[in-house]
Amino acid sequence: MNDAEDSVAERKMQFLFALRSKGVTNPTVLTAMERIDRGPFVKGLFADRAYEDTPLPIACGQTISQPSVVGLMTQALEVSPRDKVLEVGTGSGYQAAILSLLARRIYTVDRHKRLVREARTVFESMDLVNITAFTSDGSFGLPDQAPFDRIIVTAAAEDPPGPLLAQLKIGGIMVLPVGQSDTVQSLIRVRRTETGFDYDEIRPVRFVPLIEGIARDN
C-alpha cells in the first residue's frame, strides 16, 4: 500500500470512528456510509473538508448535513431491502445515495432544479440506478408513487406535513426534524400504526426550513 492509499484508508477509519462515537452503530448503515464516498457531493472551496463530521454549504443556499446526522437519520429509518423510500430534500444527493444501498427504490425530491440536476449527475457517475430524482414541492410528497414504506425529510417543518403522513404505509416510518425556529428543532421518528401515529424524539438538530413551492432558480 502506497502513501496515498494509506492516507485514504486512515481517513476512512477516522470517518467511521467519528460516526460510531456519535451513536451510529448499525453495521449495515456503517457499511453503506463506508461505500458511498462523500467527496463527489461536496464541491468547490469545501471539497477538502468532505470527510469532516460537519455540515457544509452547497449550491442554492443549502447545506450537506454532517455525516453523523445522516447516519443517525438513516439508522432511525430502519430501512429494509424491500422498502420503497421517499426523501424530501435531495440537496447534494448524499443521503439518497446511502439509502440506495439499503432499499429497493428511492424517490427523492427537491424544490431546486439545479440541485436535482447535479445530484442526478453524481448518481449516474456512481451507477446508482435505483434512485429517481424530481424537482417538485416536497411538502406535498409524491402522491403518484405513494404509499411509501419509509419517508425521510431533510428540512424542518413546524409539524410533520399532513400529505407526507398520509403517504406513509401502515407500519411505515418517517424521520424528520421539526421545530418552530432554526434554533430549536428536534429530530423525530413517526411510526404509522393501524390506529394512528406514534412519535419518539431522537435528538436536537438544526436544519434549513421546509419551504413550499418550486424555487426560482435554474
Side-chain angles (χ1 to χ4, degrees):
M1 192 180 283
N2 59 34
D3 288 348
E5 288 171 332
D6 276 345
S7 173
V8 170
E10 185 178 342
R11 199 163 56 180
K12 210 167 243 186
M13 280 177 59
Q14 289 173 344
F15 181 75
L16 292 171
F17 178 77
L19 293 176
R20 289 193 188 94
S21 68
K22 297 284 180 66
V24 183
T25 54
N26 182 297
T28 311
V29 173
L30 287 167
T31 298
M33 295 190 73
E34 184 176 11
R35 285 178 58 194
I36 296 293
D37 186 352
R38 193 177 183 231
F41 299 95
V42 182
K43 299 175 177 69
L45 293 172
F46 298 96
D48 62 342
R49 299 183 61 191
Y51 305 98
E52 295 178 16
D53 188 34
T54 186
L56 295 169
I58 58 172
C60 305
Q62 304 301 295
T63 57
I64 179 172
S65 297
Q66 67 191 87
S68 60
V69 171
V70 171
L72 289 168
M73 291 181 79
T74 307
Q75 186 170 272
L77 209 56
E78 299 176 16
V79 181
S80 67
R82 299 292 306 157
D83 285 346
K84 180 169 72 169
V85 181
L86 171 64
E87 178 192 33
V88 175
T90 308
S92 68
Y94 179 59
Q95 175 74 76
I98 289 163
L99 290 168
S100 76
L101 301 186
L102 304 173
R104 176 173 59 90
R105 188 91 210 146
I106 312 298
Y107 293 90
T108 181
V109 301
D110 202 289
R111 61 193 295 271
H112 295 280
K113 291 176 187 172
R114 176 181 171 183
L115 293 181
V116 171
R117 192 168 61 242
E118 290 181 358
R120 280 179 184 151
T121 301
V122 181
F123 299 153
E124 286 168 15
S125 73
M126 292 183 160
D127 202 26
L128 302 175
V129 296
N130 62 337
I131 306 175
T132 306
F134 297 93
T135 303
S136 92
D137 184 344
S139 55
F140 294 102
L142 271 182
D144 292 350
Q145 300 296 336
F148 295 96
D149 301 288
R150 301 289 186 267
I151 298 176
I152 185 168
V153 186
T154 60
E158 285 192 24
D159 297 294
L164 298 184
L165 291 172
Q167 290 170 36
L168 192 61
K169 275 186 184 174
I170 291 173
I173 294 173
M174 175 161 60
V175 173
L176 76 164
V178 294
Q180 296 187 342
S181 72
D182 64 356
T183 53
V184 183
Q185 295 173 1
S186 291
L187 188 62
I188 66 167
R189 176 168 47 204
V190 184
R191 295 179 191 269
R192 186 167 193 178
T193 68
E194 295 277 359
T195 55
F197 298 93
D198 291 338
Y199 298 82
D200 57 302
E201 200 168 314
I202 298 169
R203 54 160 282 175
V205 286
R206 286 190 71 175
F207 276 83
V208 296
L210 183 65
I211 298 171
E212 290 189 6
I214 306 294
R216 292 184 179 180
D217 57 31
N218 298 315

